[in-house]
Amino acid sequence: VQLQASGGGLVQAGGSLRLSCAASGRTFKNYDVGWFRQALEKEREFVAAVSVGGESTRYADSVKGRFTISRDNAKKTMYLQMNSLKPEDTAVYHCARLPSIMDVTWIFGSWGPGTQVTVYS
């Protein structure tokens, strides 16, 4: 399964963006999936994850209440709705398959190019 993130852009602080992660292959629905981000000169960090059927989610404390993760298995796509964006949300956002939403320390496969989100004040 290959995952491709899109939807990034330039947005003013307080604004919103919705990221998409499209999967190729037929097994997307069998995996927990999640979003990570990497700001310039910083370590990649976990953002949010969603379980196979979408019934369970997990968020980093820094985005709770502002970001919402979801998935549509029929479309083989995962989403990240980002509201009330802050300059510190500026990063390259990546999507990935996870062993579990409770274990976000490693991913299946390799990191794709991601999508750039830039928030200006």
mmCIF file with all atom_site columns, all heavy atoms in Angstrom, residues 63-90:
data_model
loop_
_atom_site.group_PDB
_atom_site.id
_atom_site.type_symbol
_atom_site.label_atom_id
_atom_site.label_alt_id
_atom_site.label_comp_id
_atom_site.label_asym_id
_atom_site.label_entity_id
_atom_site.label_seq_id
_atom_site.pdbx_PDB_ins_code
_atom_site.Cartn_x
_atom_site.Cartn_y
_atom_site.Cartn_z
_atom_site.occupancy
_atom_site.B_iso_or_equiv
_atom_site.pdbx_formal_charge
_atom_site.auth_seq_id
_atom_site.auth_comp_id
_atom_site.auth_asym_id
_atom_site.auth_atom_id
_atom_site.pdbx_PDB_model_num
ATOM 1   N N   . VAL A 1 63 ? -2.560  19.285 19.289 1.00 0.00 ? 63 VAL A N   1
ATOM 2   C CA  . VAL A 1 63 ? -3.589  19.509 18.262 1.00 0.00 ? 63 VAL A CA  1
ATOM 3   C C   . VAL A 1 63 ? -4.989  19.137 18.731 1.00 0.00 ? 63 VAL A C   1
ATOM 4   O O   . VAL A 1 63 ? -5.961  19.345 17.993 1.00 0.00 ? 63 VAL A O   1
ATOM 5   C CB  . VAL A 1 63 ? -3.255  18.733 16.964 1.00 0.00 ? 63 VAL A CB  1
ATOM 6   C CG1 . VAL A 1 63 ? -1.853  19.075 16.482 1.00 0.00 ? 63 VAL A CG1 1
ATOM 7   C CG2 . VAL A 1 63 ? -3.420  17.238 17.141 1.00 0.00 ? 63 VAL A CG2 1
ATOM 8   N N   . LYS A 1 64 ? -5.115  18.591 19.920 1.00 0.00 ? 64 LYS A N   1
ATOM 9   C CA  . LYS A 1 64 ? -6.431  18.204 20.437 1.00 0.00 ? 64 LYS A CA  1
ATOM 10  C C   . LYS A 1 64 ? -7.381  19.388 20.442 1.00 0.00 ? 64 LYS A C   1
ATOM 11  O O   . LYS A 1 64 ? -7.021  20.484 20.862 1.00 0.00 ? 64 LYS A O   1
ATOM 12  C CB  . LYS A 1 64 ? -6.300  17.643 21.856 1.00 0.00 ? 64 LYS A CB  1
ATOM 13  C CG  . LYS A 1 64 ? -5.869  16.200 21.928 1.00 0.00 ? 64 LYS A CG  1
ATOM 14  C CD  . LYS A 1 64 ? -5.793  15.730 23.376 1.00 0.00 ? 64 LYS A CD  1
ATOM 15  C CE  . LYS A 1 64 ? -5.304  14.299 23.454 1.00 0.00 ? 64 LYS A CE  1
ATOM 16  N NZ  . LYS A 1 64 ? -5.123  13.847 24.854 1.00 0.00 ? 64 LYS A NZ  1
ATOM 17  N N   . GLY A 1 65 ? -8.602  19.134 19.969 1.00 0.00 ? 65 GLY A N   1
ATOM 18  C CA  . GLY A 1 65 ? -9.604  20.182 19.935 1.00 0.00 ? 65 GLY A CA  1
ATOM 19  C C   . GLY A 1 65 ? -9.530  21.074 18.706 1.00 0.00 ? 65 GLY A C   1
ATOM 20  O O   . GLY A 1 65 ? -10.446 21.855 18.452 1.00 0.00 ? 65 GLY A O   1
ATOM 21  N N   . ARG A 1 66 ? -8.450  20.963 17.938 1.00 0.00 ? 66 ARG A N   1
ATOM 22  C CA  . ARG A 1 66 ? -8.300  21.772 16.733 1.00 0.00 ? 66 ARG A CA  1
ATOM 23  C C   . ARG A 1 66 ? -8.286  20.919 15.463 1.00 0.00 ? 66 ARG A C   1
ATOM 24  O O   . ARG A 1 66 ? -8.789  21.348 14.424 1.00 0.00 ? 66 ARG A O   1
ATOM 25  C CB  . ARG A 1 66 ? -7.001  22.576 16.799 1.00 0.00 ? 66 ARG A CB  1
ATOM 26  C CG  . ARG A 1 66 ? -6.907  23.534 17.968 1.00 0.00 ? 66 ARG A CG  1
ATOM 27  C CD  . ARG A 1 66 ? -5.685  24.445 17.863 1.00 0.00 ? 66 ARG A CD  1
ATOM 28  N NE  . ARG A 1 66 ? -4.429  23.698 17.883 1.00 0.00 ? 66 ARG A NE  1
ATOM 29  C CZ  . ARG A 1 66 ? -3.528  23.745 16.906 1.00 0.00 ? 66 ARG A CZ  1
ATOM 30  N NH1 . ARG A 1 66 ? -3.721  24.491 15.840 1.00 0.00 ? 66 ARG A NH1 1
ATOM 31  N NH2 . ARG A 1 66 ? -2.394  23.047 17.005 1.00 0.00 ? 66 ARG A NH2 1
ATOM 32  N N   . PHE A 1 67 ? -7.707  19.739 15.535 1.00 0.00 ? 67 PHE A N   1
ATOM 33  C CA  . PHE A 1 67 ? -7.594  18.847 14.374 1.00 0.00 ? 67 PHE A CA  1
ATOM 34  C C   . PHE A 1 67 ? -8.549  17.676 14.540 1.00 0.00 ? 67 PHE A C   1
ATOM 35  O O   . PHE A 1 67 ? -8.790  17.197 15.660 1.00 0.00 ? 67 PHE A O   1
ATOM 36  C CB  . PHE A 1 67 ? -6.173  18.302 14.265 1.00 0.00 ? 67 PHE A CB  1
ATOM 37  C CG  . PHE A 1 67 ? -5.109  19.297 13.870 1.00 0.00 ? 67 PHE A CG  1
ATOM 38  C CD1 . PHE A 1 67 ? -5.362  20.664 13.855 1.00 0.00 ? 67 PHE A CD1 1
ATOM 39  C CD2 . PHE A 1 67 ? -3.851  18.860 13.513 1.00 0.00 ? 67 PHE A CD2 1
ATOM 40  C CE1 . PHE A 1 67 ? -4.379  21.578 13.497 1.00 0.00 ? 67 PHE A CE1 1
ATOM 41  C CE2 . PHE A 1 67 ? -2.852  19.746 13.146 1.00 0.00 ? 67 PHE A CE2 1
ATOM 42  C CZ  . PHE A 1 67 ? -3.115  21.106 13.150 1.00 0.00 ? 67 PHE A CZ  1
ATOM 43  N N   . THR A 1 68 ? -9.060  17.202 13.406 1.00 0.00 ? 68 THR A N   1
ATOM 44  C CA  . THR A 1 68 ? -9.919  16.025 13.402 1.00 0.00 ? 68 THR A CA  1
ATOM 45  C C   . THR A 1 68 ? -9.461  15.067 12.305 1.00 0.00 ? 68 THR A C   1
ATOM 46  O O   . THR A 1 68 ? -9.372  15.469 11.138 1.00 0.00 ? 68 THR A O   1
ATOM 47  C CB  . THR A 1 68 ? -11.385 16.393 13.160 1.00 0.00 ? 68 THR A CB  1
ATOM 48  O OG1 . THR A 1 68 ? -11.818 17.315 14.176 1.00 0.00 ? 68 THR A OG1 1
ATOM 49  C CG2 . THR A 1 68 ? -12.276 15.159 13.207 1.00 0.00 ? 68 THR A CG2 1
ATOM 50  N N   . ILE A 1 69 ? -9.201  13.840 12.699 1.00 0.00 ? 69 ILE A N   1
ATOM 51  C CA  . ILE A 1 69 ? -8.800  12.824 11.733 1.00 0.00 ? 69 ILE A CA  1
ATOM 52  C C   . ILE A 1 69 ? -9.998  11.955 11.386 1.00 0.00 ? 69 ILE A C   1
ATOM 53  O O   . ILE A 1 69 ? -10.844 11.676 12.245 1.00 0.00 ? 69 ILE A O   1
ATOM 54  C CB  . ILE A 1 69 ? -7.634  11.957 12.294 1.00 0.00 ? 69 ILE A CB  1
ATOM 55  C CG1 . ILE A 1 69 ? -7.045  11.055 11.201 1.00 0.00 ? 69 ILE A CG1 1
ATOM 56  C CG2 . ILE A 1 69 ? -8.070  11.169 13.515 1.00 0.00 ? 69 ILE A CG2 1
ATOM 57  C CD1 . ILE A 1 69 ? -5.764  10.352 11.628 1.00 0.00 ? 69 ILE A CD1 1
ATOM 58  N N   . SER A 1 70 ? -10.073 11.529 10.141 1.00 0.00 ? 70 SER A N   1
ATOM 59  C CA  . SER A 1 70 ? -11.148 10.650 9.702  1.00 0.00 ? 70 SER A CA  1
ATOM 60  C C   . SER A 1 70 ? -10.669 9.840  8.509  1.00 0.00 ? 70 SER A C   1
ATOM 61  O O   . SER A 1 70 ? -9.598  10.104 7.959  1.00 0.00 ? 70 SER A O   1
ATOM 62  C CB  . SER A 1 70 ? -12.396 11.460 9.329  1.00 0.00 ? 70 SER A CB  1
ATOM 63  O OG  . SER A 1 70 ? -12.114 12.331 8.252  1.00 0.00 ? 70 SER A OG  1
ATOM 64  N N   . ARG A 1 71 ? -11.469 8.872  8.131  1.00 0.00 ? 71 ARG A N   1
ATOM 65  C CA  . ARG A 1 71 ? -11.113 8.053  6.978  1.00 0.00 ? 71 ARG A CA  1
ATOM 66  C C   . ARG A 1 71 ? -12.366 7.594  6.261  1.00 0.00 ? 71 ARG A C   1
ATOM 67  O O   . ARG A 1 71 ? -13.436 7.473  6.859  1.00 0.00 ? 71 ARG A O   1
ATOM 68  C CB  . ARG A 1 71 ? -10.271 6.846  7.406  1.00 0.00 ? 71 ARG A CB  1
ATOM 69  C CG  . ARG A 1 71 ? -10.998 5.843  8.264  1.00 0.00 ? 71 ARG A CG  1
ATOM 70  C CD  . ARG A 1 71 ? -10.031 4.805  8.848  1.00 0.00 ? 71 ARG A CD  1
ATOM 71  N NE  . ARG A 1 71 ? -9.423  3.977  7.817  1.00 0.00 ? 71 ARG A NE  1
ATOM 72  C CZ  . ARG A 1 71 ? -8.385  3.172  8.044  1.00 0.00 ? 71 ARG A CZ  1
ATOM 73  N NH1 . ARG A 1 71 ? -7.827  3.122  9.250  1.00 0.00 ? 71 ARG A NH1 1
ATOM 74  N NH2 . ARG A 1 71 ? -7.883  2.436  7.067  1.00 0.00 ? 71 ARG A NH2 1
ATOM 75  N N   . ASP A 1 72 ? -12.213 7.326  4.983  1.00 0.00 ? 72 ASP A N   1
ATOM 76  C CA  . ASP A 1 72 ? -13.277 6.786  4.159  1.00 0.00 ? 72 ASP A CA  1
ATOM 77  C C   . ASP A 1 72 ? -12.687 5.572  3.454  1.00 0.00 ? 72 ASP A C   1
ATOM 78  O O   . ASP A 1 72 ? -11.968 5.707  2.454  1.00 0.00 ? 72 ASP A O   1
ATOM 79  C CB  . ASP A 1 72 ? -13.756 7.826  3.152  1.00 0.00 ? 72 ASP A CB  1
ATOM 80  C CG  . ASP A 1 72 ? -14.934 7.358  2.333  1.00 0.00 ? 72 ASP A CG  1
ATOM 81  O OD1 . ASP A 1 72 ? -15.091 6.133  2.143  1.00 0.00 ? 72 ASP A OD1 1
ATOM 82  O OD2 . ASP A 1 72 ? -15.698 8.211  1.853  1.00 0.00 ? 72 ASP A OD2 1
ATOM 83  N N   . ASN A 1 73 ? -12.957 4.388  3.979  1.00 0.00 ? 73 ASN A N   1
ATOM 84  C CA  . ASN A 1 73 ? -12.344 3.182  3.420  1.00 0.00 ? 73 ASN A CA  1
ATOM 85  C C   . ASN A 1 73 ? -12.824 2.884  2.008  1.00 0.00 ? 73 ASN A C   1
ATOM 86  O O   . ASN A 1 73 ? -12.080 2.309  1.207  1.00 0.00 ? 73 ASN A O   1
ATOM 87  C CB  . ASN A 1 73 ? -12.604 1.996  4.334  1.00 0.00 ? 73 ASN A CB  1
ATOM 88  C CG  . ASN A 1 73 ? -11.758 2.048  5.600  1.00 0.00 ? 73 ASN A CG  1
ATOM 89  O OD1 . ASN A 1 73 ? -10.728 2.713  5.647  1.00 0.00 ? 73 ASN A OD1 1
ATOM 90  N ND2 . ASN A 1 73 ? -12.213 1.364  6.630  1.00 0.00 ? 73 ASN A ND2 1
ATOM 91  N N   . ALA A 1 74 ? -14.030 3.268  1.693  1.00 0.00 ? 74 ALA A N   1
ATOM 92  C CA  . ALA A 1 74 ? -14.542 3.049  0.336  1.00 0.00 ? 74 ALA A CA  1
ATOM 93  C C   . ALA A 1 74 ? -13.736 3.853  -0.686 1.00 0.00 ? 74 ALA A C   1
ATOM 94  O O   . ALA A 1 74 ? -13.532 3.410  -1.813 1.00 0.00 ? 74 ALA A O   1
ATOM 95  C CB  . ALA A 1 74 ? -16.012 3.417  0.261  1.00 0.00 ? 74 ALA A CB  1
ATOM 96  N N   . LYS A 1 75 ? -13.277 5.025  -0.263 1.00 0.00 ? 75 LYS A N   1
ATOM 97  C CA  . LYS A 1 75 ? -12.467 5.873  -1.144 1.00 0.00 ? 75 LYS A CA  1
ATOM 98  C C   . LYS A 1 75 ? -10.975 5.666  -0.923 1.00 0.00 ? 75 LYS A C   1
ATOM 99  O O   . LYS A 1 75 ? -10.149 6.315  -1.572 1.00 0.00 ? 75 LYS A O   1
ATOM 100 C CB  . LYS A 1 75 ? -12.817 7.345  -0.926 1.00 0.00 ? 75 LYS A CB  1
ATOM 101 C CG  . LYS A 1 75 ? -14.238 7.712  -1.318 1.00 0.00 ? 75 LYS A CG  1
ATOM 102 C CD  . LYS A 1 75 ? -14.496 9.192  -1.121 1.00 0.00 ? 75 LYS A CD  1
ATOM 103 C CE  . LYS A 1 75 ? -15.903 9.561  -1.566 1.00 0.00 ? 75 LYS A CE  1
ATOM 104 N NZ  . LYS A 1 75 ? -16.194 11.009 -1.363 1.00 0.00 ? 75 LYS A NZ  1
ATOM 105 N N   . LYS A 1 76 ? -10.634 4.802  0.035  1.00 0.00 ? 76 LYS A N   1
ATOM 106 C CA  . LYS A 1 76 ? -9.236  4.560  0.373  1.00 0.00 ? 76 LYS A CA  1
ATOM 107 C C   . LYS A 1 76 ? -8.504  5.858  0.674  1.00 0.00 ? 76 LYS A C   1
ATOM 108 O O   . LYS A 1 76 ? -7.379  6.101  0.214  1.00 0.00 ? 76 LYS A O   1
ATOM 109 C CB  . LYS A 1 76 ? -8.525  3.779  -0.748 1.00 0.00 ? 76 LYS A CB  1
ATOM 110 C CG  . LYS A 1 76 ? -9.104  2.385  -0.968 1.00 0.00 ? 76 LYS A CG  1
ATOM 111 C CD  . LYS A 1 76 ? -8.271  1.561  -1.918 1.00 0.00 ? 76 LYS A CD  1
ATOM 112 C CE  . LYS A 1 76 ? -8.329  2.079  -3.328 1.00 0.00 ? 76 LYS A CE  1
ATOM 113 N NZ  . LYS A 1 76 ? -7.605  1.211  -4.276 1.00 0.00 ? 76 LYS A NZ  1
ATOM 114 N N   . THR A 1 77 ? -9.143  6.683  1.474  1.00 0.00 ? 77 THR A N   1
ATOM 115 C CA  . THR A 1 77 ? -8.591  7.996  1.775  1.00 0.00 ? 77 THR A CA  1
ATOM 116 C C   . THR A 1 77 ? -8.742  8.326  3.257  1.00 0.00 ? 77 THR A C   1
ATOM 117 O O   . THR A 1 77 ? -9.758  8.000  3.869  1.00 0.00 ? 77 THR A O   1
ATOM 118 C CB  . THR A 1 77 ? -9.286  9.078  0.937  1.00 0.00 ? 77 THR A CB  1
ATOM 119 O OG1 . THR A 1 77 ? -9.152  8.755  -0.459 1.00 0.00 ? 77 THR A OG1 1
ATOM 120 C CG2 . THR A 1 77 ? -8.669  10.443 1.177  1.00 0.00 ? 77 THR A CG2 1
ATOM 121 N N   . MET A 1 78 ? -7.724  8.982  3.787  1.00 0.00 ? 78 MET A N   1
ATOM 122 C CA  . MET A 1 78 ? -7.750  9.493  5.149  1.00 0.00 ? 78 MET A CA  1
ATOM 123 C C   . MET A 1 78 ? -7.661  11.014 5.080  1.00 0.00 ? 78 MET A C   1
ATOM 124 O O   . MET A 1 78 ? -7.076  11.561 4.141  1.00 0.00 ? 78 MET A O   1
ATOM 125 C CB  . MET A 1 78 ? -6.551  8.943  5.933  1.00 0.00 ? 78 MET A CB  1
ATOM 126 C CG  . MET A 1 78 ? -6.360  9.558  7.303  1.00 0.00 ? 78 MET A CG  1
ATOM 127 S SD  . MET A 1 78 ? -4.997  8.818  8.208  1.00 0.00 ? 78 MET A SD  1
ATOM 128 C CE  . MET A 1 78 ? -3.594  9.202  7.187  1.00 0.00 ? 78 MET A CE  1
ATOM 129 N N   . TYR A 1 79 ? -8.254  11.677 6.087  1.00 0.00 ? 79 TYR A N   1
ATOM 130 C CA  . TYR A 1 79 ? -8.297  13.132 6.091  1.00 0.00 ? 79 TYR A CA  1
ATOM 131 C C   . TYR A 1 79 ? -7.780  13.679 7.418  1.00 0.00 ? 79 TYR A C   1
ATOM 132 O O   . TYR A 1 79 ? -7.836  13.017 8.448  1.00 0.00 ? 79 TYR A O   1
ATOM 133 C CB  . TYR A 1 79 ? -9.727  13.622 5.879  1.00 0.00 ? 79 TYR A CB  1
ATOM 134 C CG  . TYR A 1 79 ? -10.380 13.081 4.633  1.00 0.00 ? 79 TYR A CG  1
ATOM 135 C CD1 . TYR A 1 79 ? -11.228 11.983 4.704  1.00 0.00 ? 79 TYR A CD1 1
ATOM 136 C CD2 . TYR A 1 79 ? -10.134 13.669 3.392  1.00 0.00 ? 79 TYR A CD2 1
ATOM 137 C CE1 . TYR A 1 79 ? -11.823 11.475 3.561  1.00 0.00 ? 79 TYR A CE1 1
ATOM 138 C CE2 . TYR A 1 79 ? -10.728 13.161 2.247  1.00 0.00 ? 79 TYR A CE2 1
ATOM 139 C CZ  . TYR A 1 79 ? -11.572 12.072 2.339  1.00 0.00 ? 79 TYR A CZ  1
ATOM 140 O OH  . TYR A 1 79 ? -12.151 11.571 1.195  1.00 0.00 ? 79 TYR A OH  1
ATOM 141 N N   . LEU A 1 80 ? -7.328  14.909 7.356  1.00 0.00 ? 80 LEU A N   1
ATOM 142 C CA  . LEU A 1 80 ? -6.991  15.640 8.576  1.00 0.00 ? 80 LEU A CA  1
ATOM 143 C C   . LEU A 1 80 ? -7.550  17.047 8.428  1.00 0.00 ? 80 LEU A C   1
ATOM 144 O O   . LEU A 1 80 ? -7.036  17.840 7.638  1.00 0.00 ? 80 LEU A O   1
ATOM 145 C CB  . LEU A 1 80 ? -5.482  15.690 8.815  1.00 0.00 ? 80 LEU A CB  1
ATOM 146 C CG  . LEU A 1 80 ? -5.063  16.313 10.142 1.00 0.00 ? 80 LEU A CG  1
ATOM 147 C CD1 . LEU A 1 80 ? -5.496  15.413 11.310 1.00 0.00 ? 80 LEU A CD1 1
ATOM 148 C CD2 . LEU A 1 80 ? -3.565  16.555 10.192 1.00 0.00 ? 80 LEU A CD2 1
ATOM 149 N N   . GLN A 1 81 ? -8.637  17.311 9.140  1.00 0.00 ? 81 GLN A N   1
ATOM 150 C CA  . GLN A 1 81 ? -9.217  18.647 9.158  1.00 0.00 ? 81 GLN A CA  1
ATOM 151 C C   . GLN A 1 81 ? -8.488  19.452 10.217 1.00 0.00 ? 81 GLN A C   1
ATOM 152 O O   . GLN A 1 81 ? -8.503  19.082 11.398 1.00 0.00 ? 81 GLN A O   1
ATOM 153 C CB  . GLN A 1 81 ? -10.712 18.575 9.467  1.00 0.00 ? 81 GLN A CB  1
ATOM 154 C CG  . GLN A 1 81 ? -11.383 19.930 9.558  1.00 0.00 ? 81 GLN A CG  1
ATOM 155 C CD  . GLN A 1 81 ? -11.396 20.661 8.230  1.00 0.00 ? 81 GLN A CD  1
ATOM 156 O OE1 . GLN A 1 81 ? -11.687 20.075 7.196  1.00 0.00 ? 81 GLN A OE1 1
ATOM 157 N NE2 . GLN A 1 81 ? -11.107 21.957 8.268  1.00 0.00 ? 81 GLN A NE2 1
ATOM 158 N N   . MET A 1 82 ? -7.876  20.533 9.804  1.00 0.00 ? 82 MET A N   1
ATOM 159 C CA  . MET A 1 82 ? -7.078  21.357 10.707 1.00 0.00 ? 82 MET A CA  1
ATOM 160 C C   . MET A 1 82 ? -7.727  22.728 10.837 1.00 0.00 ? 82 MET A C   1
ATOM 161 O O   . MET A 1 82 ? -7.811  23.467 9.853  1.00 0.00 ? 82 MET A O   1
ATOM 162 C CB  . MET A 1 82 ? -5.648  21.486 10.184 1.00 0.00 ? 82 MET A CB  1
ATOM 163 C CG  . MET A 1 82 ? -4.978  20.148 9.914  1.00 0.00 ? 82 MET A CG  1
ATOM 164 S SD  . MET A 1 82 ? -3.231  20.302 9.493  1.00 0.00 ? 82 MET A SD  1
ATOM 165 C CE  . MET A 1 82 ? -3.358  21.186 7.948  1.00 0.00 ? 82 MET A CE  1
ATOM 166 N N   . ASN A 1 83 ? -8.189  23.038 12.031 1.00 0.00 ? 83 ASN A N   1
ATOM 167 C CA  . ASN A 1 83 ? -8.812  24.329 12.309 1.00 0.00 ? 83 ASN A CA  1
ATOM 168 C C   . ASN A 1 83 ? -7.971  25.116 13.302 1.00 0.00 ? 83 ASN A C   1
ATOM 169 O O   . ASN A 1 83 ? -7.106  24.554 13.979 1.00 0.00 ? 83 ASN A O   1
ATOM 170 C CB  . ASN A 1 83 ? -10.214 24.116 12.880 1.00 0.00 ? 83 ASN A CB  1
ATOM 171 C CG  . ASN A 1 83 ? -11.139 23.407 11.920 1.00 0.00 ? 83 ASN A CG  1
ATOM 172 O OD1 . ASN A 1 83 ? -11.025 23.528 10.706 1.00 0.00 ? 83 ASN A OD1 1
ATOM 173 N ND2 . ASN A 1 83 ? -12.077 22.649 12.478 1.00 0.00 ? 83 ASN A ND2 1
ATOM 174 N N   . SER A 1 84 ? -8.248  26.401 13.397 1.00 0.00 ? 84 SER A N   1
ATOM 175 C CA  . SER A 1 84 ? -7.540  27.274 14.343 1.00 0.00 ? 84 SER A CA  1
ATOM 176 C C   . SER A 1 84 ? -6.038  27.089 14.227 1.00 0.00 ? 84 SER A C   1
ATOM 177 O O   . SER A 1 84 ? -5.328  26.927 15.232 1.00 0.00 ? 84 SER A O   1
ATOM 178 C CB  . SER A 1 84 ? -8.002  26.992 15.782 1.00 0.00 ? 84 SER A CB  1
ATOM 179 O OG  . SER A 1 84 ? -9.395  27.167 15.906 1.00 0.00 ? 84 SER A OG  1
ATOM 180 N N   . LEU A 1 85 ? -5.561  27.122 13.014 1.00 0.00 ? 85 LEU A N   1
ATOM 181 C CA  . LEU A 1 85 ? -4.135  26.857 12.780 1.00 0.00 ? 85 LEU A CA  1
ATOM 182 C C   . LEU A 1 85 ? -3.258  27.927 13.401 1.00 0.00 ? 85 LEU A C   1
ATOM 183 O O   . LEU A 1 85 ? -3.635  29.113 13.475 1.00 0.00 ? 85 LEU A O   1
ATOM 184 C CB  . LEU A 1 85 ? -3.875  26.753 11.280 1.00 0.00 ? 85 LEU A CB  1
ATOM 185 C CG  . LEU A 1 85 ? -4.278  25.404 10.669 1.00 0.00 ? 85 LEU A CG  1
ATOM 186 C CD1 . LEU A 1 85 ? -4.423  25.512 9.163  1.00 0.00 ? 85 LEU A CD1 1
ATOM 187 C CD2 . LEU A 1 85 ? -3.270  24.334 11.027 1.00 0.00 ? 85 LEU A CD2 1
ATOM 188 N N   . LYS A 1 86 ? -2.094  27.485 13.857 1.00 0.00 ? 86 LYS A N   1
ATOM 189 C CA  . LYS A 1 86 ? -1.116  28.359 14.499 1.00 0.00 ? 86 LYS A CA  1
ATOM 190 C C   . LYS A 1 86 ? 0.197   28.306 13.716 1.00 0.00 ? 86 LYS A C   1
ATOM 191 O O   . LYS A 1 86 ? 0.476   27.303 13.043 1.00 0.00 ? 86 LYS A O   1
ATOM 192 C CB  . LYS A 1 86 ? -0.862  27.879 15.929 1.00 0.00 ? 86 LYS A CB  1
ATOM 193 C CG  . LYS A 1 86 ? -2.100  27.768 16.788 1.00 0.00 ? 86 LYS A CG  1
ATOM 194 C CD  . LYS A 1 86 ? -1.746  27.162 18.147 1.00 0.00 ? 86 LYS A CD  1
ATOM 195 C CE  . LYS A 1 86 ? -2.968  27.008 19.028 1.00 0.00 ? 86 LYS A CE  1
ATOM 196 N NZ  . LYS A 1 86 ? -2.627  26.417 20.351 1.00 0.00 ? 86 LYS A NZ  1
ATOM 197 N N   . PRO A 1 87 ? 1.012   29.330 13.817 1.00 0.00 ? 87 PRO A N   1
ATOM 198 C CA  . PRO A 1 87 ? 2.313   29.284 13.134 1.00 0.00 ? 87 PRO A CA  1
ATOM 199 C C   . PRO A 1 87 ? 3.133   28.045 13.508 1.00 0.00 ? 87 PRO A C   1
ATOM 200 O O   . PRO A 1 87 ? 3.871   27.515 12.665 1.00 0.00 ? 87 PRO A O   1
ATOM 201 C CB  . PRO A 1 87 ? 2.984   30.574 13.605 1.00 0.00 ? 87 PRO A CB  1
ATOM 202 C CG  . PRO A 1 87 ? 1.843   31.512 13.837 1.00 0.00 ? 87 PRO A CG  1
ATOM 203 C CD  . PRO A 1 87 ? 0.758   30.647 14.419 1.00 0.00 ? 87 PRO A CD  1
ATOM 204 N N   . GLU A 1 88 ? 2.999   27.578 14.730 1.00 0.00 ? 88 GLU A N   1
ATOM 205 C CA  . GLU A 1 88 ? 3.759   26.400 15.152 1.00 0.00 ? 88 GLU A CA  1
ATOM 206 C C   . GLU A 1 88 ? 3.259   25.104 14.513 1.00 0.00 ? 88 GLU A C   1
ATOM 207 O O   . GLU A 1 88 ? 3.883   24.054 14.680 1.00 0.00 ? 88 GLU A O   1
ATOM 208 C CB  . GLU A 1 88 ? 3.766   26.256 16.678 1.00 0.00 ? 88 GLU A CB  1
ATOM 209 C CG  . GLU A 1 88 ? 2.416   26.328 17.331 1.00 0.00 ? 88 GLU A CG  1
ATOM 210 C CD  . GLU A 1 88 ? 2.096   27.724 17.862 1.00 0.00 ? 88 GLU A CD  1
ATOM 211 O OE1 . GLU A 1 88 ? 2.354   28.716 17.132 1.00 0.00 ? 88 GLU A OE1 1
ATOM 212 O OE2 . GLU A 1 88 ? 1.583   27.819 19.000 1.00 0.00 ? 88 GLU A OE2 1
ATOM 213 N N   . ASP A 1 89 ? 2.163   25.166 13.770 1.00 0.00 ? 89 ASP A N   1
ATOM 214 C CA  . ASP A 1 89 ? 1.700   23.995 13.009 1.00 0.00 ? 89 ASP A CA  1
ATOM 215 C C   . ASP A 1 89 ? 2.421   23.887 11.671 1.00 0.00 ? 89 ASP A C   1
ATOM 216 O O   . ASP A 1 89 ? 2.236   22.902 10.951 1.00 0.00 ? 89 ASP A O   1
ATOM 217 C CB  . ASP A 1 89 ? 0.197   24.083 12.751 1.00 0.00 ? 89 ASP A CB  1
ATOM 218 C CG  . ASP A 1 89 ? -0.633  23.990 14.023 1.00 0.00 ? 89 ASP A CG  1
ATOM 219 O OD1 . ASP A 1 89 ? -0.302  23.148 14.887 1.00 0.00 ? 89 ASP A OD1 1
ATOM 220 O OD2 . ASP A 1 89 ? -1.604  24.763 14.155 1.00 0.00 ? 89 ASP A OD2 1
ATOM 221 N N   . THR A 1 90 ? 3.221   24.872 11.344 1.00 0.00 ? 90 THR A N   1
ATOM 222 C CA  . THR A 1 90 ? 3.968   24.851 10.086 1.00 0.00 ? 90 THR A CA  1
ATOM 223 C C   . THR A 1 90 ? 4.912   23.659 10.063 1.00 0.00 ? 90 THR A C   1
ATOM 224 O O   . THR A 1 90 ? 5.729   23.481 10.960 1.00 0.00 ? 90 THR A O   1
ATOM 225 C CB  . THR A 1 90 ? 4.774   26.151 9.916  1.00 0.00 ? 90 THR A CB  1
ATOM 226 O OG1 . THR A 1 90 ? 3.857   27.244 9.786  1.00 0.00 ? 90 THR A OG1 1
ATOM 227 C CG2 . THR A 1 90 ? 5.670   26.088 8.688  1.00 0.00 ? 90 THR A CG2 1
#
